[in-house]
Amino acid sequence: MSGLAVGVDIGGTRIRTALVERSGRIVKHQSVPTPAALQRHEVMQAVLRSISWMIAQAEELGREVKGIGIGSAGQINADTGIVEFAVDTLPNWQGTPIRPLVRELYEHIPVWVDNDVNALALAEKVYGKGQEYSHFVCLALGTGIGGAIVESGRPVRGCFGGAGEFGHLSVNFEGPRCSCGNYGCLELYASGTSMARLARVELEKAGRLGQAEIDRYSAHELLRDWAAGEEPASIAMTTVIQALATGIASIIHIFNPQVVFIGGGVADAGEALLTPLREETHERTSPKMSEACEILPISLGSRAGVMGAAAQVWTEGGSKSIVNMDGV
Amino acid sequence: MSGLAVGVDIGGTRIRTALVERSGRIVKHQSVPTPAALQRHEVMQAVLRSISWMIAQAEELGREVKGIGIGSAGQINADTGIVEFAVDTLPNWQGTPIRPLVRELYEHIPVWVDNDVNALALAEKVYGKGQEYSHFVCLALGTGIGGAIVESGRPVRGCFGGAGEFGHLSVNFEGPRCSCGNYGCLELYASGTSMARLARVELEKAGRLGQAEIDRYSAHELLRDWAAGEEPASIAMTTVIQALATGIASIIHIFNPQVVFIGGGVADAGEALLTPLREETHERTSPKMSEACEILPISLGSRAGVMGAAAQVWTEGGSKSIVNMDGV
């Protein structure tokens, strides 16, 4: 039987683990809640428990574990496997020596660690529509906003793994203050959290809903009411789309990519969001750059995270292509 | 005697040509005005005349020309050496087959063509302070704004050579319309042209200068009056520095570089500009990213353009390091 990789996707809400074949086929999958207090040690213990369980599963199947690939929220140094900087979805994560801790338990198994959106981009590159492209960008619109860049087939990581923080691409230098220190960051307009906040302002102005309803109004409801043509939602979404299109236009002028892949919970809105977003971005991008670049949804489903995490094992952290898919 | 490279720097104002040794030493240098009408054929003829003259000079010196390296304004496809898209400083340049035209005249000499700011970045990397870094960004603040990116020692070019257009990084999605289609692009705040425009608005409000003086007020005068503490200049420069710092903070969050090198005519203002720019950028960048990144002036003088253009010959377009500096 061919070998397997353990893929781990560490997020602020769930820890997903899988046994994945070189072809990308998932043999086993597990998803557990991220410990509620988000304390570093508890999260890491949950991660190690999930890995142990997967390795036991592989043994039961009589298949060898060739390596462990981990994708995690935060800025990850892919050389050391340490969390250089935490993000708001996993705020106590900074400094966690993920790779050293996993290696302590499994010293004979190679371990790769990268940022979760880099892992998503690797899944696209190796198993998804990204196979067709050598220059692309992934933009993950969720509770926060993350990003990853592939240039000439290679990941752009920056000097300590912090590259691709598109959430902190400012689209308004005179806008509201962001936690990063800058003003008017994209995350303040187009993350799920901020979309709901912008909508609440419009709902209060409209005065049709009670305060309790307004307070629990979510990005999901915003997208629903926007589809129904309701005015407060339309006003908020005009701002969201202008800000997001501006950010994507800047990304296109900076990277000259062939594709911008849009993923994350917000992107579940599908073509209802993508169609006006494409139009607005096209308007805001110089013609030649715009013609060269498509805006597409990510092509793999919700398991892309673990698939990409695992793919690090077969590609040496994304630096090699997957060759010889069969008979491994 | 060792071989020489011909370096050519094609800008909207001047065409600079040089004979350059592998060490970066300039043996001959020539600078001619770019033909005033900026017609494609006239500009190309001026370029070819300058190259011919340099090759004749090399023959007189009894030294072999190993190759011709060209840096040009515009988005250049470095594989084909064709101008994919023109910029405002050389508006009729689009579609010019620079490399094919040079090869027609000199079929036995290898020819490399790249964007002028990519050439500047290559000069930094090979001969300048950039030698110490593997991750850096160059931001050229002149009549317009250009950029170049080095990631893990390699240039980031994008799918057709258009990457690094930091002038069209928007810092205000509700700002004034830009020629690229977007709103509030960095070029509308921090290029020489836009700095003068912002200053003129403040001068009109202040009402101390006559209209004729205001109309010919330049970025150079703005920087002078700002240094003298004059109020209209200070107000304009506050906007310039906020917009520029926001753009640089975004660049730092996107690339996680070790250095942002600032060049171009505006950067001639030196530390008077760089000191407040560093402070404002530091305020606007997340601490870990900011600590990892310095903001420095480009380390080579006005001849960096031809040095970098020529360096393409020794590095195969920036893909190799310069080794064996001696005895070539």
Side-chain angles (χ1 to χ4, degrees):
Chain A
M1 295 293 276
S2 62
L4 294 170
V6 176
V8 186
D9 181 15
I10 308 172
T13 317
R14 302 199 74 82
I15 297 165
R16 294 184 168 84
T17 330
L19 287 177
V20 191
E21 293 183 340
R22 186 181 279 246
S23 67
R25 196 174 81 85
I26 292 175
V27 175
K28 284 272 174 195
H29 186 266
Q30 192 194 48
S31 169
V32 300
T34 307
L38 300 176
Q39 287 308 307
R40 196 209 271 202
H41 292 95
E42 291 172 45
V43 174
M44 201 58 214
Q45 271 168 19
V47 167
L48 293 173
R49 267 197 308 274
S50 294
I51 293 174
S52 301
W53 189 81
M54 279 299 164
I55 289 177
Q57 294 297 305
E59 276 170 16
E60 256 181 45
L61 293 167
R63 296 174 72 167
E64 190 189 349
V65 170
K66 297 282 189 182
I68 299 165
I70 299 170
S72 169
Q75 295 162 13
I76 312 293
N77 184 324
D79 292 328
T80 61
I82 295 171
V83 182
E84 288 279 346
F85 199 69
V87 289
D88 294 343
T89 49
L90 261 180
N92 299 310
W93 206 219
Q94 187 163 334
T96 310
I98 303 179
R99 187 170 181 271
L101 289 171
V102 177
R103 292 284 298 192
E104 241 172 57
L105 276 185
Y106 302 103
E107 54 183 19
H108 300 302
I109 305 180
V111 179
W112 306 87
V113 189
D114 204 342
N115 168 270
D116 53 352
V117 190
N118 279 350
L120 194 73
L122 185 60
E124 271 301 332
K125 184 184 153 198
V126 170
Y127 303 121
K129 202 161 163 59
Q131 288 174 86
E132 301 164 30
Y133 304 100
S134 52
H135 297 80
F136 64 86
V137 167
C138 288
L139 190 59
L141 307 172
T143 316
I145 294 183
I149 307 127
V150 171
E151 154 75 19
S152 295
R154 296 189 194 90
V156 169
R157 296 185 192 283
C159 69
F160 68 70
E165 286 284 348
F166 294 128
H168 301 292
L169 164 60
S170 166
V171 293
N172 186 359
F173 76 103
E174 294 170 325
R177 192 88 195 249
C178 180
S179 64
C180 76
N182 211 345
Y183 295 78
C185 288
L186 187 56
E187 196 157 285
L188 300 178
Y189 298 93
S191 65
T193 319
S194 297
M195 285 168 64
R197 185 179 46 74
L198 289 169
R200 282 187 216 115
V201 172
E202 296 307 323
L203 288 167
E204 275 174 16
K205 279 190 210 157
R208 283 203 299 264
L209 290 183
Q211 193 60 46
E213 280 174 286
I214 292 177
D215 286 347
R216 60 170 184 264
Y217 194 80
S218 69
H220 185 75
E221 288 167 291
L222 168 61
L223 291 165
R224 180 200 63 196
D225 292 348
W226 178 50
E230 291 190 16
E231 204 186 359
S234 296
I235 297 171
M237 282 305 293
T238 298
T239 303
V240 170
I241 288 177
Q242 284 180 358
L244 189 52
T246 295
I248 296 174
S250 291
I251 289 170
I252 295 174
H253 286 126
I254 291 174
F255 290 104
N256 182 208
Q258 297 160 295
V259 184
V260 176
F261 286 108
I262 312 283
V266 175
D268 292 346
E271 284 302 317
L273 177 67
L274 285 181
T275 302
L277 184 60
R278 275 191 200 103
E279 281 167 19
E280 189 73 26
T281 306
H282 183 69
E283 285 288 310
R284 289 175 179 258
T285 309
S286 61
K288 191 93 184 179
M289 293 279 213
S290 185
E291 279 160 32
C293 183
E294 291 180 89
I295 297 174
L296 299 174
I298 57 163
S299 66
L300 302 163
S302 61
R303 293 185 175 180
V306 285
M307 287 169 70
Q312 296 176 84
V313 173
W314 313 117
T315 61
E316 297 185 11
S319 62
K320 293 221 155 62
S321 309
I322 288 199
V323 286
N324 189 17
M325 288 277 229
D326 308 310
V328 181
Chain B
M1 295 293 275
S2 61
L4 295 170
V6 176
V8 186
D9 182 14
I10 308 172
T13 316
R14 301 199 74 83
I15 297 164
R16 294 184 167 84
T17 329
L19 286 176
V20 191
E21 293 181 340
R22 186 181 280 246
S23 67
R25 196 174 80 87
I26 292 174
V27 176
K28 283 274 172 196
H29 186 266
Q30 192 195 48
S31 169
V32 300
T34 307
L38 300 177
Q39 287 308 306
R40 196 209 271 201
H41 292 97
E42 292 173 42
V43 173
M44 201 59 216
Q45 272 169 19
V47 167
L48 293 173
R49 268 197 307 274
S50 293
I51 293 174
S52 299
W53 189 81
M54 278 298 164
I55 289 178
Q57 295 296 307
E59 276 170 16
E60 256 182 43
L61 295 167
R63 295 175 74 169
E64 190 188 349
V65 171
K66 297 282 190 183
I68 300 165
I70 300 170
S72 170
Q75 294 162 13
I76 312 294
N77 184 324
D79 292 327
T80 61
I82 295 172
V83 182
E84 288 279 346
F85 199 69
V87 289
D88 294 343
T89 48
L90 260 181
N92 300 310
W93 205 220
Q94 187 163 333
T96 309
I98 303 179
R99 186 169 181 273
L101 289 171
V102 177
R103 292 285 298 192
E104 240 172 58
L105 274 184
Y106 301 103
E107 54 184 19
H108 300 301
I109 305 180
V111 179
W112 305 88
V113 189
D114 205 342
N115 168 271
D116 54 352
V117 190
N118 280 350
L120 195 74
L122 185 59
E124 271 301 332
K125 184 186 151 195
V126 171
Y127 303 120
K129 202 161 164 59
Q131 289 174 86
E132 300 164 32
Y133 305 100
S134 51
H135 297 79
F136 64 85
V137 167
C138 289
L139 190 59
L141 307 172
T143 316
I145 293 182
I149 308 127
V150 171
E151 153 76 20
S152 293
R154 297 188 193 92
V156 169
R157 296 185 191 284
C159 69
F160 68 70
E165 286 285 347
F166 294 128
H168 301 291
L169 164 61
S170 166
V171 292
N172 187 359
F173 76 104
E174 295 171 323
R177 192 89 196 250
C178 179
S179 64
C180 76
N182 211 345
Y183 295 78
C185 287
L186 187 58
E187 195 156 286
L188 300 178
Y189 298 94
S191 66
T193 319
S194 297
M195 285 168 63
R197 184 179 48 73
L198 289 169
R200 282 186 216 117
V201 171
E202 296 308 322
L203 288 166
E204 275 174 16
K205 279 190 211 158
R208 283 204 298 265
L209 289 184
Q211 193 59 45
E213 281 173 285
I214 291 176
D215 286 347
R216 60 170 184 266
Y217 195 81
S218 68
H220 184 76
E221 288 166 291
L222 168 62
L223 291 164
R224 178 201 65 198
D225 293 347
W226 177 51
E230 292 189 16
E231 204 186 0
S234 297
I235 297 171
M237 283 305 292
T238 298
T239 303
V240 170
I241 287 176
Q242 283 180 357
L244 189 52
T246 295
I248 296 174
S250 291
I251 289 169
I252 295 173
H253 287 125
I254 291 174
F255 290 104
N256 182 209
Q258 296 160 297
V259 184
V260 176
F261 286 110
I262 311 283
V266 174
D268 292 347
E271 283 303 316
L273 176 68
L274 285 181
T275 302
L277 184 60
R278 273 190 201 104
E279 281 168 19
E280 188 73 26
T281 305
H282 183 69
E283 285 288 311
R284 289 175 179 256
T285 309
S286 62
K288 192 91 185 183
M289 293 279 213
S290 184
E291 277 161 33
C293 183
E294 290 181 89
I295 297 174
L296 299 174
I298 56 162
S299 66
L300 301 163
S302 60
R303 292 185 176 181
V306 285
M307 286 169 71
Q312 295 176 86
V313 173
W314 314 117
T315 61
E316 298 184 11
S319 62
K320 294 221 156 61
S321 308
I322 289 200
V323 286
N324 189 17
M325 289 279 227
D326 308 311
V328 180

